Amino acid sequence: MRDEDDDSSEDSVDAPDEPPDAAGVHSCIQFSTRTYYATEQEGTMFIDVIRIGDTSAVATVAFHCEDGSAQTGEHYVAVEGELRFEPGITDLQISVPILETECWNPTVEFHMNLVGAVGATLGHNLHQCRVWIIDKDPFPSPNVRKG
């Protein structure tokens, strides 16, 4: 389940800071939004990476996870790798396994980072995104009894 922050001005498409290359080609790679939401029960979070501008050539970008309050191995499985945008391709996805815990946890988050773009520039603001993991288990209470 993906959603955008309330501050839509931060989620707009970035204009790269760098000028076009010598051939006048200009392409930018970034996340499609600043924040993604998943529940533990979903099992997998799909994070969209988009390419805007000239898509006539191949472009690549590396990605990796970074722990926040969510810890790899406890709340999610960290992934890293490289996305390859073939000519004409404008969107790809990163799949991140979300782990379900047995008991209630507060909402936790981790970050995804895009680095090392080749054949394109990185979006100025959307080269990092947050992934919030929401736990739908019941909140622990002395009034709740196991059946």
Side-chain angles (χ1 to χ4, degrees), residues 89-106:
I89 300 299
T90 58
D91 54 30
L92 295 172
Q93 288 186 328
I94 301 169
S95 301
V96 181
I98 304 297
L99 303 175
E100 187 167 1
T101 59
E102 295 296 320
C103 58
W104 180 84
N105 288 297

Side-chain angles (χ1 to χ4, degrees), residues 40 84 119 122 146:
E40 284 185 348
R84 181 179 174 88
L122 288 176
K146 289 188 176 184

Side-chain angles (χ1 to χ4, degrees), residues 17 20 31 42 46 50 73-74 77 79 82 84 112 119 133-134 136 143 145:
D17 293 332
F31 292 109
E42 287 181 65
F46 296 99
I50 60 172
E74 184 176 339
V77 177
V79 296
E82 183 177 271
R84 181 179 174 88
M112 285 296 302
I133 303 172
I134 302 164
K136 289 191 171 184
N143 297 330
R145 296 183 188 171

Side-chain angles (χ1 to χ4, degrees), residues 36-96:
Y36 293 83
Y37 300 90
T39 64
E40 284 185 348
Q41 294 75 13
E42 287 181 65
T44 303
M45 178 72 229
F46 296 99
I47 299 170
D48 299 315
V49 179
I50 60 172
R51 180 180 182 192
I52 55 175
D54 187 328
T55 62
S56 62
V58 171
T60 61
V61 66
F63 63 87
H64 67 273
C65 296
E66 179 183 330
D67 283 354
S69 54
Q71 303 294 304
T72 188
E74 184 176 339
H75 301 105
Y76 73 102
V77 177
V79 296
E80 61 181 87
E82 183 177 271
L83 296 175
R84 181 179 174 88
F85 288 85
E86 294 294 338
I89 300 299
T90 58
D91 54 30
L92 295 172
Q93 288 186 328
I94 301 169
S95 301
V96 181

